[in-house]
Amino acid sequence: MPEPDLVIGLRERAQQLFAQACAAADPARALANALAEAPLPRPDPGGIYRIVAVGKAAIPMAEYLLGRLGRAAFKAVVVTNAENGRPLRGARVYVAGHPVPDDRGARAAAAVEALLTPAVAADRVIALISGGGSALLPAPVAGLTLADKAEVNQILLAGGFDITEMNLVRQQLSRLKGGGLLRIASPAPVTAHILSDVIGDDLRVIASGPTVAPIGDRKAARDLLHARGAWQSLPEAARLVLAQEDVALAPLPPARNILIGSNRKSLDAVVAAEGPQAVVVNDCLTGDVADAAAKVIEAARRESHGRPACLVFGGETTVTLRGDGRGGRNQELALRIAMAMPDLGRSWVFLSGGTDGRDGPTDAAGGLVDAATPGRIRAAGGDPGLLLARNDSHAALGLAGDLLKTGPTGTNVADVQILLFA
């Protein structure tokens, strides 16, 4: 049986380490480090800075940058989600829907286009990009409505598509994604500072790659949707757009894309904080959440009697919805671990959290569980197995008192998992 005092201490330490992971992805600090190595390019005479910040970390990134401009002339549009939105002196701030696009995001996208369309060669466009930008900046192509795009998003989210697959499809349906920002901003040179929420840091995928080439073309998107059985579920307007033949476009204007933060840097910060007893086991914990849970449990079996007392994982899993419950990938992963972890002969806790402070359409960042979690759920009148089958991990962990709630963190570098042993 786990010893309560040991478990309490482990739970507190897990939360402290998660805070370290989020702090390592602090957007202002990451941007400051990047600008120390590569200073901002200056506009030519008569030109101005045109600044676009989009994503969950848009406010702190823009705030730091604007503080560095001194007396330089600029115009700035900032787009973020409701949890992170606040006024910012010198910028027009738009709060938009996430993870499903809404009218507010469409207005924000129009403002971005209005800022960039008049750009001239003497200007310098600075793009500050972080996770969440795909949903926050919807700009449907001709023939598609915002409602169509929102429906496509819902289908992809519910269908267990990973972030690369989702953004392959979304790029074909948007004017700004897949390098669209570069085309609108031309002929002004573009520099993008990018905070990655994507495992592997593929710049084409982060916020659907507004300043890089697309992941693929319409045919690739069609093939994926047919292979996954989702084609017929799409709204007719989206199918009509995707069914069109690909048209050869002029090469994308060049851009300078600078990666300033990532999930791996946050994992390394956890290891540095915990010391020699910590190890990164897997920095690509992706795919179906059930498969991810099996990988964590196998690592726990393998390492529970060895030297490492802190196993660290990072990634972004997917959940296929089969029920009508509420939750997110981190909450479901934590619940699965709590239900399936074997007797390890020592006390343990497992934390899985989104570094943005939000997991799915809930008020939690994830879950923090231990061996007694299933018993607490039952004692509170719930059936953990039934709740899991309904994808109702939020209710299950709520009954156990095991929801991880941090509030908005102002950053977003995907998910971090921490398994601690006493």
Side-chain angles (χ1 to χ4, degrees), residues 8-50:
I8 291 171
L10 290 176
R11 292 174 71 93
E12 292 175 350
R13 183 57 181 159
Q15 291 180 83
Q16 292 167 358
L17 291 172
F18 183 69
Q20 292 275 356
C22 294
D26 177 78
R29 182 194 305 172
L31 184 55
N33 292 338
L35 292 178
E37 295 183 7
L40 285 176
R42 292 182 177 276
D44 291 339
I48 67 169
Y49 284 113
R50 297 181 183 270

Side-chain angles (χ1 to χ4, degrees), residues 182-183 185-191 211-212 251-257:
L182 294 182
R183 296 190 186 280
S186 181
V190 176
T191 300
T211 61
V212 295
L252 277 176
R256 186 182 187 191
N257 291 294

Side-chain angles (χ1 to χ4, degrees), residues 161-180:
F161 287 74
D162 67 31
I163 189 63
T164 302
E165 294 168 334
M166 289 183 66
N167 288 353
L168 166 63
V169 175
R170 294 193 285 200
Q171 285 175 348
Q172 313 310 313
L173 306 177
S174 172
R175 301 189 302 273
L176 287 170
K177 297 174 173 58

Side-chain angles (χ1 to χ4, degrees), residues 237-263:
R239 294 200 305 272
L240 288 174
V241 170
L242 292 170
Q244 297 173 14
E245 291 300 315
D246 289 292
V247 178
L249 299 173
L252 277 176
R256 186 182 187 191
N257 291 294
I258 303 169
L259 182 69
I260 66 171
S262 67
N263 182 263

Side-chain angles (χ1 to χ4, degrees), residues 61-158:
M61 290 176 76
E63 186 171 43
Y64 180 81
L65 181 64
L66 297 186
R68 288 282 300 266
L69 294 183
R71 304 169 75 91
F74 69 89
K75 294 182 179 179
V77 171
V78 178
V79 187
T80 194
N81 58 324
E83 292 85 349
N84 292 304
R86 58 179 171 85
L88 181 59
R89 185 177 180 182
R92 285 180 290 156
V93 176
Y94 292 81
V95 168
H98 184 278
V100 178
D102 62 10
D103 288 333
R104 298 172 299 171
R107 289 192 291 271
V112 168
E113 290 178 304
L115 173 70
L116 297 180
T117 299
V120 296
D123 295 335
R124 297 294 179 266
V125 173
I126 309 298
L128 306 175
I129 298 169
S130 55
S134 293
L136 291 168
L137 212 61
V141 296
L144 204 65
T145 67
L146 182 61
D148 293 327
K149 284 207 72 175
E151 186 176 348
V152 170
N153 251 38
Q154 291 280 38
I155 291 166
L156 298 175
L157 285 167

Side-chain angles (χ1 to χ4, degrees), residues 53-413:
V54 59
K56 294 180 180 178
I59 291 280
M61 290 176 76
E63 186 171 43
Y64 180 81
L65 181 64
L66 297 186
R68 288 282 300 266
L69 294 183
R71 304 169 75 91
F74 69 89
K75 294 182 179 179
V77 171
V78 178
V79 187
T80 194
N81 58 324
E83 292 85 349
N84 292 304
R86 58 179 171 85
L88 181 59
R89 185 177 180 182
R92 285 180 290 156
V93 176
Y94 292 81
V95 168
H98 184 278
V100 178
D102 62 10
D103 288 333
R104 298 172 299 171
R107 289 192 291 271
V112 168
E113 290 178 304
L115 173 70
L116 297 180
T117 299
V120 296
D123 295 335
R124 297 294 179 266
V125 173
I126 309 298
L128 306 175
I129 298 169
S130 55
S134 293
L136 291 168
L137 212 61
V141 296
L144 204 65
T145 67
L146 182 61
D148 293 327
K149 284 207 72 175
E151 186 176 348
V152 170
N153 251 38
Q154 291 280 38
I155 291 166
L156 298 175
L157 285 167
F161 287 74
D162 67 31
I163 189 63
T164 302
E165 294 168 334
M166 289 183 66
N167 288 353
L168 166 63
V169 175
R170 294 193 285 200
Q171 285 175 348
Q172 313 310 313
L173 306 177
S174 172
R175 301 189 302 273
L176 287 170
K177 297 174 173 58
L181 186 149
L182 294 182
R183 296 190 186 280
I184 294 171
S186 181
V190 176
T191 300
H193 293 90
I194 303 170
L195 187 69
S196 173
D197 68 333
V198 173
I199 304 308
D201 304 325
D202 187 340
L203 300 186
R204 302 172 305 166
V205 180
I206 304 163
S208 288
T211 61
V212 295
I215 299 165
D217 55 17
R218 289 174 183 159
K219 181 181 184 304
R222 290 196 302 270
D223 290 347
L224 170 67
L225 291 161
H226 281 298
R228 299 289 290 274
W231 176 258
Q232 291 301 325
S233 300
L234 298 181
E236 182 180 5
R239 294 200 305 272
L240 288 174
V241 170
L242 292 170
Q244 297 173 14
E245 291 300 315
D246 289 292
V247 178
L249 299 173
L252 277 176
R256 186 182 187 191
N257 291 294
I258 303 169
L259 182 69
I260 66 171
S262 67
N263 182 263
R264 179 66 201 215
K265 291 183 179 180
S266 287
L267 303 187
D268 290 341
V270 173
V271 171
E274 190 65 2
Q277 68 268 33
V279 61
V280 175
V281 176
N282 188 335
D283 63 359
C284 191
L285 194 65
T286 57
D288 185 78
V289 68
D291 296 335
K295 292 176 182 177
V296 173
I297 290 170
E298 174 57 30
R301 285 197 185 101
R302 185 175 63 248
E303 305 286 357
S304 63
H305 299 293
R307 178 184 60 81
C310 174
L311 308 185
V312 184
F313 309 78
E316 188 169 277
T317 61
T318 57
V319 175
T320 301
L321 296 180
R322 297 182 175 86
D324 58 356
R326 293 176 68 236
R329 58 184 181 263
N330 288 289
Q331 292 165 74
E332 182 155 324
L333 178 58
L335 180 58
R336 287 180 177 274
I337 294 295
M339 293 175 60
M341 186 74 82
D343 183 1
L344 299 175
R346 60 196 294 196
S347 297
W348 60 270
V349 301
F350 177 76
L351 180 152
S352 184
T355 54
D356 60 352
R358 182 178 178 185
D359 185 38
T362 74
D363 59 351
L368 174 58
V369 299
D370 56 62
T373 293
R376 289 195 293 272
I377 296 171
R378 296 187 186 95
D383 183 321
L386 289 177
L387 290 167
L388 178 60
R390 289 178 46 204
N391 297 113
D392 209 359
S393 54
H394 186 269
L397 296 180
L399 290 172
D402 285 354
L403 290 170
L404 175 67
K405 294 187 177 183
T406 64
T409 64
T411 190
N412 185 24
V413 291

